[in-house]
Amino acid sequence: MLETDVATITEALKSFALGFGLDILGAIILLIAGWWVAGRAAALVRHSLKNAKFVDSTLKPLAASIARYTVLIFVLIAVLSNFGVQTASIIAVLGAAGLAIGLALQGTLSNIAAGVMILVLRPLKVDEFVEAGSVSGTVVEITLFTTLLKTPDGVFISAPNSQIWNSAIKNYSRNPTRRLDIKVGIAYDDDVDAALEFLKKLVASDPRVLKDPEPMSFVATLGESSVDLTARGWVATADFWPTFFDLTRKSKTELEAAGFSIPFPQRDLHIKETAETASVAKATAKPAAKPAAAKAPAKKPATRSRASTAKTATKSAAKPASKAPASKTDTSKS
């Protein structure tokens, strides 16, 4: 009896292991095949939309991602059903898991919602230069979670869609034309009217500057060391930076060649002497005058010595003169 039970259990375990092993093997094969099919479906969608002009370039990567994840979801459901899991229970589990994941990943889901809004309203597109919040650059790709940009110096930026959507988006490439302002300063001694006319003609002479609206020039501000002038014109968006660099260089070289001067920042100081500052200056000058006055009495001993020497010389000269008459008297007596 016992041997019969052991044999029965062994046979049941063998059949279960064989059937479960085949299910696992089938699930692995199905996963591998589904992963390959998902990749091929994304590549097929991307290739088919590559040259399609009726589809915006911003939507092409998104369509490929949607095709890939759709295939993977069906593969996962097929694998679970292979193990005997009912589809209704899968949907219920996915619904509960989706609710829990949604509460836990609010920021991630907000990125998805922001990405959908960006793709629907399209405030920015691929190959447009935009500025949103603290990031700026040329749009490379818009995914469900992030927006990929490239800065003018070649730096890669991956910004969350929620950050882009929640900021004011400044699109420099959307409008066909842009206004160009050339700012330059001249000296206060220069002729302002002549300089304004010269700048206006300089901007209008560039063929890339549009004739309508007509170029203009005006005095922007009166600076500390210069009169700041501005020449304004409109150019095509694609020609903005080359035109700006060329006219900025010409405004310097040709203004100087025409006799105008572009001053550097400088400041003139005018010192006013008041009664208070004069008294302070005298007070500081007195200690310097005292040593000179102190040296003056040092010359008095020399004056006294000269006077005493003169008196001595006078007395010595007077003594022989008094003795001379006495000698004359003695001679007469003899």
Side-chain angles (χ1 to χ4, degrees), residues 13-216:
L13 289 176
K14 287 181 179 179
S15 61
F16 176 77
L18 182 60
F20 190 73
L22 291 175
D23 291 339
I24 292 177
L25 181 61
I28 293 174
I29 294 174
L30 189 59
L31 283 174
I32 294 174
W35 191 271
W36 181 81
V37 171
R40 294 299 300 173
L44 180 62
V45 172
R46 189 180 297 108
H47 179 72
S48 61
L49 296 178
K50 183 177 181 180
N51 298 323
K53 297 181 179 180
F54 60 90
V55 180
D56 191 84
S57 58
T58 307
L59 299 175
K60 295 176 183 179
L62 177 62
S65 299
I66 291 175
R68 182 173 181 271
Y69 287 115
T70 301
V71 173
L72 289 177
I73 290 173
F74 280 108
V75 169
L76 181 61
I77 294 174
V79 169
L80 292 176
S81 63
N82 190 38
F83 288 101
V85 180
Q86 298 296 324
T87 307
S89 61
I90 294 175
I91 296 175
V93 171
L94 290 177
L99 179 60
I101 293 173
L103 294 175
L105 301 176
Q106 296 181 7
T108 304
L109 293 178
S110 66
N111 288 329
I112 296 176
V116 172
M117 296 301 295
I118 291 174
L119 292 171
V120 171
L121 300 178
R122 295 192 298 178
L124 50 92
K125 298 180 182 179
V126 175
D127 295 333
E128 288 184 342
F129 189 88
V130 298
E131 178 182 344
S134 60
V135 297
S136 61
T138 303
V139 180
V140 177
E141 185 179 348
I142 301 174
T143 65
L144 282 177
F145 299 98
T146 59
T147 299
L148 309 181
L149 303 101
K150 182 180 179 181
T151 61
D153 54 348
V155 179
F156 171 79
I157 297 179
S158 178
N161 288 334
S162 59
Q163 178 181 350
I164 301 295
W165 180 251
N166 293 328
S167 302
I169 300 175
K170 187 182 293 185
N171 195 326
Y172 291 92
S173 305
R174 179 62 57 88
N175 294 331
T177 59
R178 287 186 61 182
R179 192 184 74 189
L180 180 71
D181 288 348
I182 303 298
K183 300 179 180 180
V184 64
I186 61 173
Y188 274 91
D189 297 335
D190 291 338
D191 189 347
V192 176
D193 295 332
L196 289 174
E197 187 66 23
F198 184 87
L199 278 177
K200 181 180 178 180
K201 291 181 179 179
L202 176 65
V203 173
S205 63
D206 195 297
R208 293 166 294 187
V209 178
L210 302 178
K211 304 303 179 183
D212 186 22
E214 185 181 358
M216 60 180 298

Side-chain angles (χ1 to χ4, degrees), residues 242-295:
T243 309
F244 176 79
F245 294 144
D246 291 342
L247 289 180
T248 301
R249 177 182 56 83
K250 289 181 179 180
S251 65
K252 197 269 183 187
T253 57
E254 296 192 14
L255 271 176
E256 289 182 340
F260 299 98
S261 58
I262 302 177
F264 54 86
Q266 55 186 338
R267 181 171 296 174
D268 296 333
L269 296 179
H270 302 276
I271 300 175
K272 291 185 177 181
E273 185 176 359
T274 60
E276 184 178 357
T277 56
S279 61
V280 173
K282 289 180 180 180
T284 55
K286 282 181 180 180
K290 284 181 179 179
K295 289 181 181 179

Side-chain angles (χ1 to χ4, degrees), residues 299-314:
K299 296 180 180 180
K300 289 182 180 179
T303 307
R304 290 178 181 176
S305 61
R306 287 178 182 175
S308 59
T309 304
K311 289 179 181 180
T312 307
T314 306

